[in-house]
DNA sequence: GTCCGTGCAAAAGTTTTGCATTTAC
DNA sequence: GTAAATGCAAAACTTTTGCACGGAC
């Protein structure tokens, strides 16, 4: 499914994703943000197309079913950021560490597995949730 | 939802999970494996209860909706294993690396985020799928 | 004019909930 | 006997599919 034509819907979805490169958006959030109600079907199709083309990443949510999406960052500033997802509140935090690169190399050597550098996820408990239930 | 009573269903589900500590099972796989058809509802409730009690982990699947579950390993042999999930075929591979511990410490320091050592996921492409589409 | 993209409705898949029945204690 | 666990049916939710219509080219 490769979308080649320029449509108003396509433009608006991509514009919104680009304006929110630092956020991880669910399909619902994308639809709610776009005032002139674009059909869910269209958003799903567009987003899946962008995932296939490698322009955005798809991250599974932990505490509920579904996924969130994020435009890939190509600036130096946001390079090599990883994801911390709180198992309790579902919050998604960016995390930078050059140590992950070593692991990526090791997986390549040990298992011949190619790790997608943009999609490394650590689940656990965020600062706030740690406070709340102790 | 705290299950306290001992029932046949509970016993069988836990027995099966324990016997398959090295596997990541979906709800469907658990149901199919247990000959005397235990209701899906019961399996969902039991599994969620075990997740809450911290006896098993819940890992989101990448290429389709849903989750898989695995009994926590407490033996030295399986300690500190992490997960490689193929974005293409959905295969889940175990991976050991002591380098992850450094990252866990760093997340604690930088972000005050407590990473669940049993739930570290690297998405990417497995050996076979790398071969298949080049 | 052709055919791709959209959006509605419907379907498919996963997980949760309500409720009557069964079972553990 | 009481309260908890089970399991069916139905609901809730997310995602996909079929199909007719509209718009891009």
């Amino acid at each position: 499914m490769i979308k080649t034509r320029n449509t108003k819907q396509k433009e608006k979805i991509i514009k919104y994703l680009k304006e929110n490169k630092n956020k991880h958006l669910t399909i619902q959030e994308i639809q709610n943000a776009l005032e002139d109600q674009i059909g869910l079907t269209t958003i799903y199709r567009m987003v899946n197309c962008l995932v296939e083309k490698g322009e955005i990443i798809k991250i599974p949510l932990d505490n509920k079913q579904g996924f969130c999406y994020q435009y890939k960052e190509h600036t130096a500033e946001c390079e090599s950021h990883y994801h911390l997802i709180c198992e309790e509140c579902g919050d998604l935090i960016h995390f930078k560490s050059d140590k992950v690169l070593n692991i990526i190399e090791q997986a390549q050597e040990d298992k011949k597995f190619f790790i997608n550098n943009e999609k490394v996820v650590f689940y656990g408990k965020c600062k706030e949730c740690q406070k709340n239930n102790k």
Side-chain angles (χ1 to χ4, degrees), chain A residues 1-111:
Chain A
M1 187 213 313
I2 300 140
K3 303 209 177 296
T4 53
R5 291 186 179 174
N6 289 320
T7 64
K8 267 177 289 174
Q9 290 88 339
K10 181 177 178 175
E11 265 178 39
K12 284 182 182 166
I13 294 170
I14 292 180
K15 182 166 173 285
Y16 184 67
L17 285 167
K18 282 191 179 174
E19 283 172 355
N20 290 277
K21 281 186 175 178
N22 59 325
K23 288 188 195 155
H24 307 82
L25 304 161
T26 62
I27 297 289
Q28 273 304 335
E29 285 166 348
I30 295 170
Q31 192 188 41
N32 295 342
L34 301 171
E35 58 290 343
D36 33 58
Q37 288 292 90
I38 296 173
L40 270 184
T41 311
T42 304
I43 300 175
Y44 272 108
R45 279 192 278 232
M46 182 58 66
V47 156
N48 283 333
C49 169
L50 292 171
V51 170
E52 275 177 39
K53 291 205 277 185
E55 293 187 34
I56 64 177
I57 53 165
K58 177 181 181 181
I59 301 167
L61 298 172
D62 185 60
N63 53 351
K64 52 176 178 288
Q65 38 179 339
F67 298 91
C68 62
Y69 302 86
Q70 180 177 29
Y71 214 90
K72 280 193 191 172
E73 198 46 84
H74 298 296
T75 66
E77 192 220 329
C78 281
E79 218 171 303
S80 296
H81 79 261
Y82 308 106
H83 300 107
L84 306 175
I85 298 184
C86 179
E87 295 182 291
E88 211 142 310
C89 67
D91 200 24
L92 209 162
I93 300 162
H94 285 184
F95 174 58
K96 281 177 210 166
S97 172
D98 46 14
K99 295 187 180 112
V100 175
L101 292 175
N102 297 330
I103 294 172
I104 291 176
E105 280 169 28
Q106 195 193 332
Q108 187 66 254
E109 281 171 33
D110 290 7
K111 301 280 182 184

Side-chain angles (χ1 to χ4, degrees), chain A residues 115-132:
Chain A
I115 292 177
N116 180 349
N117 186 42
E118 275 136 347
K119 209 153 164 193
V120 175
V121 187
F122 300 90
Y123 293 97
K125 208 178 273 190
C126 75
K127 203 173 160 184
E128 284 70 29
C129 290
Q130 282 177 68
K131 262 189 241 161
N132 294 344

